[in-house]
Amino acid sequence: MTLLQPNTPWWQSAIVYQIYPWSFQDSNGDGIGDLPGIISRLDYLNGSPDSLGVDAIWLSPIYPSPMHDFGYDVSDYCNIDPRFGTLADFDRLVSEAHRRGIRVVMDLVLNHTSNQHPWFIESRSSRTSAKRDWYYWADGKSGRRPPNNWAARFGGSAWTHDPHTGQYYLHSFLSEQPDLNWANPAVRDAVFGVVRFWLDRGVDGFRLDAINWLGKDTSWPDNPRRLAWRSYYRQIHRYDRDQPHTHEALRALRSSLKDREDILLVGETSSDTSGGPAAFYGNGSNELHEVFDFRLLRSDWHPDTFRRLILDSDRAVPQGGWPPVVFSNHDQSRHIDRYGAGGEAIRRARATALLLFTLRGTPFVYYGEELGLRDGRLRRADLHDPYTIRYWPWKTGRDPARTPMPWDDSPQAGFTTGRPWLPLSQAWRQTNVAGEQRDPGSILSLYKRLIRMKKGSNALTVGTYHPVDGGPPECLFFIRETLVDGQRDALFIAVNFSAHTQKISLQTVHSELGRTGTLILSTDTQRAEGPWTADHFLLGPDEGIVVSVA
Ligand code: NOJ
């Protein structure tokens, strides 16, 4: 089907799949995923009749790194970590992906480098080093106290004392991740050079890490305090994030890419960013194309919360910008575990999938969610991520959501011939690609159906979103539609957030769609699809449906 607006940028009709390279596919038996492994699994993603059907992959960082933060501590922006392969492997990945209609989005970590990056090693070497002001250095207060009270996102002070030069350096995350000084034009130029390096290798976009952190108030005022459990939230991050200077940097980045408007820039901001994540769209055409809104990754399974957050984030996107839709990533417990613990978990994961592909925006699928992969039940001895270890066992942390992709029920789930770096998630013998490919009722089959449905529908790709009121409060109703030359293409979507059957009257749908519809998809495998003629419809517990005008 040809989309009504053929000139829309590619990402507006794309499905993006996030690969956590450590865990997707190992090719050399060292227990760690790698680029040749990813290449060997591309057919699963697109290019064959059985594929999932995604249009782009976003690779979490694959640059050389000491891996204190699993690649988000980059020690060389223009190379590949030997654990994952070589630049030649990367070039092959790009061409093999492109051959299958899959674009490649790199993770770009701009706020900080590794403390092993040559820039930082030089910066740290003396107070007069040529790269001293590529990072933030400041004198401490008397009595060996840091320059101010700023807290690091992963715990403790954001300042570390460097005995060699007697000053403190700033790090918003781990002490191994010093923050780059974005007020320095030399830093900007060097980073824009990195962007060109990857564009020349054929990449199609960048996911910009922790982007609201770039600018800092370098008069170093203390952040105001507030009451909270963890040190990071015991202050309002007024001066260390969300600074006007960040917007200047993003505008400069966007204008440096004037010749490449086909490149996706999607940014990550914190969910409590002041002004909301949408601030980083700028005026809609001068900062980022897409900005993640993580509030739905922190919400409970409640229709009021979903109603409010969906509408809020949809309305906040300025003309020219485009919303991403995401429920899981490598930093959070998987949504199947967040939204339910018992028998309802899989039902809710199915309903969430329906939302992922029917809300307005680019769906981002986190590897394994299409299988209903659960958080791994890990022991303390299994953990690798310093943040997970620090708050263990009070907080689930991130390692449980990073376990290897289960491909089949062979030993180590077909992920590796060696010992996987993290244990497999417990139910891999039931939850794996091979088994679910064969099962038309599996969550993988549902993802495929939803992806094909979205791609074949103008309303679902480029249509407007508007909420429908008047149904049972336990349900979320909305319409996606396009209107071209008087021709209306409309879909009615309903999700039941309760454990009880809810009655929807045909009248509600009728008054929205103008006439009776056809049920084209339900998340309940037992439900018969087809014309909807009765005067009401009983929506099962956590069931989601899509109804179109026949
Ligand atoms: C956000 C990334 O998603 C996360 O994994 C990382 O630890 C921090 N930014 C720091 O780079």
Side-chain angles (χ1 to χ4, degrees), residues 94-112:
V94 172
S95 81
E96 289 293 324
H98 285 172
R99 201 160 66 74
R100 292 166 174 83
I102 303 172
R103 289 184 161 90
V104 178
V105 175
M106 292 288 272
D107 213 313
L108 204 52
V109 190
L110 301 184
N111 177 66
H112 43 266

Side-chain angles (χ1 to χ4, degrees), residues 18 53-54 66 122 131 146 150 160 164 176 284 432 445 463 547 549:
Q18 182 189 354
V54 303
E122 190 179 339
K131 289 207 169 50
W150 293 2
T160 288
H164 181 62
E176 291 87 355
N432 62 59
S445 299
V547 177
V549 176

Side-chain angles (χ1 to χ4, degrees), residues 20 58 69 72-73 107 109 112 154 173 177 207 209-210 213 268 329-331 385 398 402:
Y20 197 66
W58 147 31
D69 188 15
Y72 287 93
D73 47 330
D107 213 313
V109 190
H112 43 266
F154 292 158
F173 293 87
Q177 294 169 294
R207 175 263 188 194
D209 184 69
W213 262 274
E268 182 211 30
N329 66 22
H330 63 292
D331 288 330
D385 172 32
R398 311 189 293 182
R402 298 175 175 181

Side-chain angles (χ1 to χ4, degrees), residues 176-199:
E176 291 87 355
Q177 294 169 294
D179 284 21
L180 281 165
N181 174 5
W182 271 81
N184 182 345
V187 167
R188 217 182 258 198
D189 292 347
V191 168
F192 292 178
V194 168
V195 167
R196 284 288 155 183
F197 175 86
W198 292 105
L199 289 182

